[in-house]
Amino acid sequence: MKEHFGIETFDFVFLDHWKDRYLPDTKLMEVCLILTTAISFSLRYYETQPHSIKIEGDITLGGLFPVHSRGPAGVPCGEIKKEKGIHRMEAMMYALDQINSDPDLLPNITLGARILDTCSRDTYALEQSLTFVQALIQKDNSDVRCSNGEPPIIPKPERVVGVIGASASSVSIMVANVLRLFAIPQISYASTAPELSDNNRYDFFSRVVPPDSFQAQAMVDIVKAMGWNYVSTLASEGNYGESGVDAFVQISREAGGLCIAQSIKIPREPRPGEFEKIIKRLMETSNARGVIIFANEDDIKRVLEAAKKANLTGHFLFVGSDSWGAKNSPILNLEDVAEGAVTILPKRASIDGFDQYFTTRSLENNRRNIWFAEFWEDDFKCKLTRPGIRGNSGLRKCTGEERISRDSAYEQEGKVQFVIDAVYAMAHALHSMHNDLCLGSMGVCDKMDPVDGRMLLSYIRAINFNGSAGTGVMFNENGDAPGRYDIFQYQLSNTTNPGYKVIGQWTNHLRLNDMQWSGGDKLVPDSVCSFPCESGERKRMVKGVPCCWHCELCDGYQYLLDEFNCDMCPFDMRPTPNRTGCRPTPIIKLEWSSPWAIIPVFLAVMGILATSGVIITFIRFNDTPIVRASGRELSYVLLTGIFLIYLITFLMIAEPSTVVCAFRRLFLGLGMCISYSAMLTKTNRIYRIFEQGKKSVTPPKFISPTSQLIITFIFISVQLLGVFIWFGVIPPHTTVDFDELRPPNPEYARGILKCDMSDLSLIGCLSYSMVLMVTCTVYAIKSRGVPETFNEAKPIGFTMYTTCIIWLAFVPIFFGTSQSTEKMFIQTTTLTVSMSLSATVSLGMLYIPKVYVIIFHPEQNVQKRKRSFKAVVQAATVSTHLSQKSSDKQNGETKVEPDRSQ
């Protein structure tokens, strides 16, 4: 056996040679471990003579196909795989037949093959692939002699120039690590792991299917096109699933805007209840309804079963890789759970020539396929009679007359196209190489014997031809084919033919249409961590998860500056109803029609009419005793002040302007100042007269009318001086107060057009009048003992007492409403009503009784004899003792005219 294999002389001197040529950047010990392990297995393998298909030819290609499934523990191979195994393997033989019969492709050169079974297991495939390298292993036969002493004749092993395969990515990776040591190019028809795109580690590997990195990019584009930003991933343990998910995660991270809720790995040997746990984990982030799944058929089916068992039919929205594709086996009896699933498959077509070829295969015309009899039994559910093997009574006997697709279901396996393209790619590379090296010579020339693997690789990477489906076959610098995918969706509702529907394509960019979801709904379901915020709400991001956020309302006077920040509106603006910007705050003023204005205006009008009536009456009866006795000059001054007090109401309600504001400053305190200056002068005069009379009969100074007017105007001039100083320091102007009426709800915010007079300045404007009022009240109290029959002290006293009460009530009302949203209205009304009431009290107590006598009792308005100042004082003194007895006498009967000549 050893002589046949020629391996007893293999040592690491050989590896040093190959290391220098092909392993400059690879860890040598790792490769050595793989190779020595494979060799140990191969010793056992050749003891039992491997099962393989041998097709003679001038140039031999290797083939690796998963003819059988993975066997149970301790057994390398299991049941036969009809589609992924036999269909694909027959596709290679069909392609060889087509090439060998083509006079234009490799003329006069026949392609042969050595086709091996990988049994869907990477380690077993590695053992098998040593068949491809045995011709390249250096042998030392110097110590080997035949029994007659002559050197043995050892047949030259066949030399494999390139390998077609393998199918699974894990198998291709394992085989590629060995084939690159011997510079044997490899073209896979189904391995899509992104890892194989690493041209430094797998420099002799190429593939006619696009890598999963392209598939992952297509799936990212699909997810984004559906508006999803929060998905989970499911991967079967192993190179295909894990690499696919890794590529998806990496691309989504680079693209941005897509977050992975959970990445779950399905164990290679799942324990009972494992899939139920997976569904529970997925429901921990239930908003992530989209599930990206890179898994084998069995795992896909069990995931769907677990979702249905958990009563979550319709909740998860699956996006499946090409392992799901358009297959019915993973969704059998689970169609309702799979509804809406979007899947992806490399763009492909059914090859009619292969269908005709394969359906005509029979036991008689396909003896080169050593596994065809096993396929026949499995496909037709019968048993062939073989020598030494007892028939199975449970199965009928095969007649050999059965025909594929007539007596059994047949559908071309999806990767047949790619197997054919892989074989043709190798043939086109060899054809170009032959044209360049052999210069038109027939057959394999010396320069191609043996074929240089590294040179062949360069020709493989340079090919560009139309493949079996009419699409271009080419490779990039990493040996990857272009990404071309069909997008499918499994649709059930509102379709005449439920099933997988092509809804789009991906060739470097995505085209999608005609998507349909549960119940025929065209609206794409949501798979987002957080829903978009409402208008006027900002995003508060969840730390570490860029797709998740909480929505917070921009409250108060804030508006949405950008999606993450709120900002305050300018002081004169308020947010729009949707809080996306700011709008001007409405400006208001006290309107004449407002209830806050109607009452003050009514009182003012009535007061002006009454005051005007008194003035007219006094002017009409100017020389009558009562008018003269009341002090005509000061009475007119006092009545003027009262008139101005009523008039200020209209200025306070009028629309603010510079002129109005100037008049407000001037007349607000002037009317009261005039009134109380006149009353203060009167009470002071009376007080001084009777205080002087107690000491002597000499009258006090400055009691004449002229003196009284001068004193009154001196008091008034103080007010005027203060006002004009105020004018000079701060000229009158209007302002809009946006702070006064600024409630928590900005919808009720208003700017108030007003004069530039603060509460403090307003009180300051009235303060001097208050001082006069208080002083006048003091003199009225001091003069309370003077009999009513001789003076106006008592009416003035009652006037001042009432006025003080009014203004004492005004203060808490005025300042107590400073926080009210209607502050301006309340304070204006309170001020004007208080002023009108104080004026009304003065008018009513001092002048209405006189007018009444003048008009209704003119007989009492008669001249009395004049008396000296001494007589007046003496009479007043006596009258003090008799005041109780004379209180019931009328005012007109007792009042005397003082001697004004004194």
Side-chain angles (χ1 to χ4, degrees):
M1 182 277 296
K2 288 185 180 181
E3 286 78 1
H4 172 78
F5 189 56
I7 200 171
E8 75 290 346
T9 59
F10 180 86
D11 58 37
F12 288 102
V13 173
F14 162 78
L15 279 179
D16 288 336
H17 167 70
W18 288 93
K19 169 181 74 69
D20 294 337
R21 289 186 60 190
Y22 300 110
L23 298 178
D25 301 318
T26 305
K27 294 181 180 179
L28 177 63
M29 294 310 296
E30 179 183 349
V31 178
C32 291
L33 179 62
I34 294 173
L35 192 57
T36 52
T37 303
I39 290 172
S40 66
F41 278 116
S42 66
L43 295 176
R44 292 184 283 106
Y45 166 76
Y46 275 96
E47 288 174 0
T48 59
Q49 185 60 37
H51 289 292
S52 65
I53 295 175
K54 170 64 177 173
I55 300 175
E56 296 294 338
D58 301 323
I59 298 176
T60 303
L61 302 181
L64 293 172
F65 295 91
V67 179
H68 293 85
S69 62
R70 177 194 298 265
V75 179
C77 301
E79 298 178 347
I80 196 166
K81 299 178 75 169
K82 294 191 297 181
E83 287 83 12
K84 287 188 177 182
I86 297 298
H87 282 206
R88 294 178 181 180
M89 185 191 67
E90 286 287 350
M92 180 175 178
M93 293 192 289
Y94 164 77
L96 290 174
D97 292 345
Q98 295 295 109
I99 293 168
N100 290 334
S101 62
D102 188 344
D104 297 324
L105 184 61
L106 290 176
N108 300 310
I109 296 178
T110 303
L111 287 183
R114 169 73 72 176
I115 300 175
L116 304 175
D117 179 11
T118 65
C119 290
S120 306
R121 189 188 295 271
D122 51 4
T123 52
Y124 184 79
L126 180 62
E127 300 174 28
Q128 302 294 301
S129 65
L130 289 179
T131 302
F132 302 144
V133 302
Q134 61 176 317
L136 302 175
I137 298 176
Q138 298 178 0
K139 308 174 183 66
D140 184 3
N141 301 321
S142 57
D143 295 335
V144 180
R145 290 288 182 271
C146 295
S147 56
N148 60 5
E150 295 184 358
I153 301 175
I154 300 175
K156 182 180 179 180
E158 62 185 348
R159 185 183 182 92
V160 173
V161 300
V163 174
I164 307 299
S167 178
S169 295
S170 57
V171 174
S172 288
I173 288 172
M174 187 72 80
V175 172
N177 280 315
V178 173
L179 295 183
R180 73 185 297 267
L181 292 175
F182 301 94
I184 299 177
Q186 175 185 1
I187 302 179
S188 174
Y189 50 82
S191 298
T192 58
E195 182 181 350
L196 289 164
S197 297
D198 186 351
N199 201 40
N200 292 322
R201 295 186 60 191
Y202 307 103
D203 46 344
F204 280 83
F205 177 85
S206 305
R207 48 187 162 190
V208 292
V209 289
D212 286 338
S213 56
F214 291 168
Q215 182 175 195
Q217 179 66 65
M219 296 172 81
V220 169
D221 292 346
I222 292 170
V223 169
K224 287 200 164 189
M226 292 192 292
W228 296 351
N229 69 359
Y230 198 53
V231 296
S232 295
T233 63
L234 268 178
S236 290
E237 186 177 10
N239 188 271
Y240 171 78
E242 294 178 57
S243 297
V245 164
D246 288 345
F248 179 87
V249 171
Q250 179 64 28
I251 293 171
S252 64
R253 184 180 295 116
E254 293 172 357
L258 182 59
C259 298
I260 308 302
Q262 295 194 70
S263 285
I264 301 175
K265 186 188 300 183
I266 302 172
R268 198 184 300 271
E269 302 292 339
R271 292 172 293 183
E274 188 70 40
F275 289 90
E276 286 74 12
K277 291 180 182 178
I278 289 173
I279 294 299
K280 287 182 180 178
R281 282 191 59 189
L282 290 174
M283 285 304 295
E284 291 175 3
T285 51
S286 57
N287 276 6
R289 295 180 62 188
V291 178
I292 311 303
I293 184 165
F294 281 83
N296 59 53
E297 296 178 34
D298 291 339
D299 287 345
I300 293 169
K301 187 175 184 67
R302 295 175 72 177
V303 167
L304 297 179
E305 288 173 344
K308 187 169 187 176
K309 184 177 179 181
N311 198 27
L312 292 172
T313 299
H315 177 79
F316 294 114
L317 310 167
F318 295 97
V319 178
S321 64
D322 59 350
S323 61
W324 184 334
K327 298 173 185 172
N328 288 315
S329 55
I331 63 171
L332 188 64
N333 301 321
L334 297 166
E335 291 83 358
D336 52 344
V337 187
E339 183 177 11
V342 177
T343 59
I344 189 170
L345 264 181
K347 199 170 186 63
R348 63 188 185 185
S350 181
I351 309 303
D352 295 336
F354 176 78
D355 288 340
Q356 184 178 2
Y357 163 82
F358 191 75
T359 54
T360 58
R361 297 298 90 191
S362 66
L363 293 172
E364 290 76 19
N365 63 17
N366 199 21
R367 295 185 182 277
R368 63 183 178 180
N369 185 347
I370 62 173
W371 297 288
F372 197 70
E374 190 178 353
F375 163 81
W376 195 271
E377 291 178 329
D378 186 76
D379 193 45
F380 296 108
K381 302 296 185 288
C382 63
K383 191 68 178 176
L384 290 170
T385 303
R386 299 175 189 172
I389 299 178
R390 181 177 297 178
N392 190 331
S393 59
L395 294 175
R396 68 178 181 84
K397 183 178 179 181
C398 299
T399 64
E401 301 299 323
E402 297 90 353
R403 289 295 176 263
I404 299 169
S405 84
R406 186 192 71 182
D407 301 315
S408 65
Y410 167 76
E411 182 179 0
Q412 187 179 126
E413 201 276 331
K415 294 292 194 303
V416 163
Q417 168 198 339
F418 299 109
V419 175
I420 296 172
D421 287 346
V423 177
Y424 266 88
M426 195 72 76
H428 277 282
L430 288 168
H431 182 82
S432 298
M433 186 177 183
H434 181 270
N435 288 341
D436 291 343
L437 297 183
C438 298
L439 301 176
S441 63
M442 306 300 288
V444 179
C445 63
D446 293 339
K447 290 184 179 180
M448 286 186 63
D449 188 16
V451 173
D452 183 87
R454 186 166 293 278
M455 183 180 295
L456 177 60
L457 176 66
S458 64
Y459 281 99
I460 290 174
R461 295 290 171 84
I463 64 165
N464 190 343
F465 67 95
N466 286 331
S468 56
T471 56
V473 178
M474 64 193 76
F475 302 104
N476 64 13
E477 65 278 5
N478 296 322
D480 295 327
R484 291 188 289 260
Y485 296 96
D486 283 323
I487 313 299
F488 294 84
Q489 186 180 39
Y490 191 76
Q491 299 178 357
L492 286 180
S493 305
N494 297 333
T495 59
T496 56
N497 186 22
Y500 292 101
K501 304 293 180 185
V502 177
I503 60 168
Q505 293 82 34
W506 189 92
T507 50
N508 295 323
H509 64 277
L510 178 68
R511 297 186 300 277
L512 273 183
N513 50 59
D514 298 329
M515 300 188 78
Q516 180 177 283
W517 307 89
S518 179
D521 191 3
K522 299 289 186 180
L523 183 65
V524 180
D526 292 314
S527 181
V528 295
C529 181
S530 301
F531 290 98
C533 292
E534 298 291 334
S535 179
E537 293 180 337
R538 75 177 183 94
K539 293 180 180 178
R540 185 167 65 83
M541 304 305 296
V542 175
K543 188 175 181 180
V545 189
C547 300
C548 300
W549 59 80
H550 300 297
C551 294
E552 293 182 346
L553 180 66
C554 295
D555 56 358
Y557 289 81
Q558 295 180 325
Y559 72 99
L560 191 65
L561 179 64
D562 54 48
E563 62 177 328
F564 302 107
N565 297 289
C566 298
D567 197 11
M568 291 294 294
C569 285
F571 75 98
D572 58 344
M573 304 184 81
R574 58 178 179 162
T576 57
N578 60 9
R579 294 185 179 271
T580 56
C582 295
R583 53 180 171 160
T585 301
I587 298 174
I588 62 170
K589 60 182 179 61
L590 184 57
E591 301 292 342
W592 293 102
S593 58
S594 170
W596 297 105
I598 291 175
I599 294 176
V601 168
F602 175 77
L603 292 176
V605 169
M606 297 304 294
I608 288 173
L609 292 175
T611 305
S612 299
V614 171
I615 293 173
I616 292 170
T617 301
F618 269 48
I619 293 173
R620 172 70 179 78
F621 299 97
N622 188 56
D623 291 327
T624 61
I626 289 181
V627 175
R628 293 175 60 191
S630 63
R632 288 175 296 182
E633 295 78 6
L634 286 182
S635 291
Y636 288 126
V637 173
L638 196 151
L639 288 170
T640 301
I642 292 174
F643 185 88
L644 291 177
I645 290 174
Y646 286 122
L647 188 64
I648 194 63
T649 295
F650 298 95
L651 290 173
M652 296 300 293
I653 296 174
E655 181 176 347
S657 66
T658 302
V659 175
V660 170
C661 292
F663 280 116
R664 280 189 188 180
R665 288 192 189 182
L666 181 61
F667 292 112
L668 181 60
L670 185 61
M672 293 180 63
C673 176
I674 293 172
S675 297
Y676 297 130
S677 293
M679 280 192 281
L680 176 58
T681 303
K682 273 192 175 188
T683 53
N684 176 266
R685 175 177 177 269
I686 294 170
Y687 175 76
R688 288 189 295 113
I689 287 174
F690 288 98
E691 284 297 314
Q692 182 69 21
K694 294 177 183 180
K695 300 175 183 179
S696 69
V697 294
T698 303
K701 297 178 180 180
F702 310 117
I703 62 173
S704 66
T706 303
S707 300
Q708 299 300 298
L709 287 175
I710 292 172
I711 294 171
T712 299
F713 285 122
I714 289 173
F715 287 147
I716 295 171
S717 64
V718 175
Q719 174 77 19
L720 291 173
L721 179 63
V723 170
F724 285 116
I725 292 174
W726 188 9
F727 281 161
V729 175
I730 305 176
H733 61 278
T734 59
T735 184
V736 180
D737 188 346
F738 292 98
D739 293 326
E740 184 172 312
L741 199 56
R742 195 175 175 87
N745 187 347
E747 288 300 310
Y748 299 108
R750 299 293 184 271
I752 301 175
L753 179 63
K754 60 198 305 187
C755 291
D756 187 30
M757 293 176 64
S758 64
D759 293 348
L760 185 60
S761 62
L762 186 145
I763 295 302
C765 190
L766 296 174
S767 60
Y768 180 64
S769 298
M770 299 291 182
V771 171
L772 294 176
M773 181 182 67
V774 172
T775 306
C776 186
T777 303
V778 171
Y779 276 107
I781 293 172
K782 289 184 176 183
S783 303
R784 67 185 181 280
V786 178
E788 183 183 354
T789 54
F790 292 100
N791 58 80
E792 293 180 304
K794 290 189 184 300
I796 291 175
F798 287 131
T799 298
M800 300 316 299
Y801 304 152
T802 306
T803 302
C804 287
I805 292 172
I806 290 170
W807 287 101
L808 285 173
F810 161 79
V811 172
I813 295 174
F814 186 86
F815 289 101
T817 58
S818 60
Q819 301 301 319
S820 171
T821 56
E822 296 183 329
K823 168 188 172 183
M824 189 267 289
F825 307 122
I826 296 174
Q827 290 186 341
T828 300
T829 301
T830 302
L831 177 62
T832 53
V833 168
S834 297
M835 295 182 73
S836 293
L837 289 177
S838 62
T840 300
V841 168
S842 300
L843 186 66
M845 289 192 172
L846 296 178
Y847 293 103
I848 296 301
K850 293 180 175 61
V851 172
Y852 176 78
V853 171
I854 291 171
I855 295 176
F856 296 104
H857 297 281
E859 71 278 3
Q860 296 180 7
N861 189 11
V862 295
Q863 179 70 40
K864 302 296 181 181
R865 66 182 180 89
K866 291 185 178 181
R867 304 162 73 180
S868 65
F869 174 77
K870 181 179 180 180
V872 172
V873 173
Q874 288 174 347
T877 304
V878 173
S879 179
T880 301
H881 299 290
L882 301 175
S883 59
Q884 293 296 329
K885 295 180 180 180
S886 62
S887 60
D888 56 345
K889 293 185 179 181
Q890 293 183 1
N891 184 48
E893 297 175 341
T894 59
K895 186 161 274 191
V896 296
E897 181 70 22
D899 187 357
R900 296 180 181 274
S901 62
Q902 298 179 17

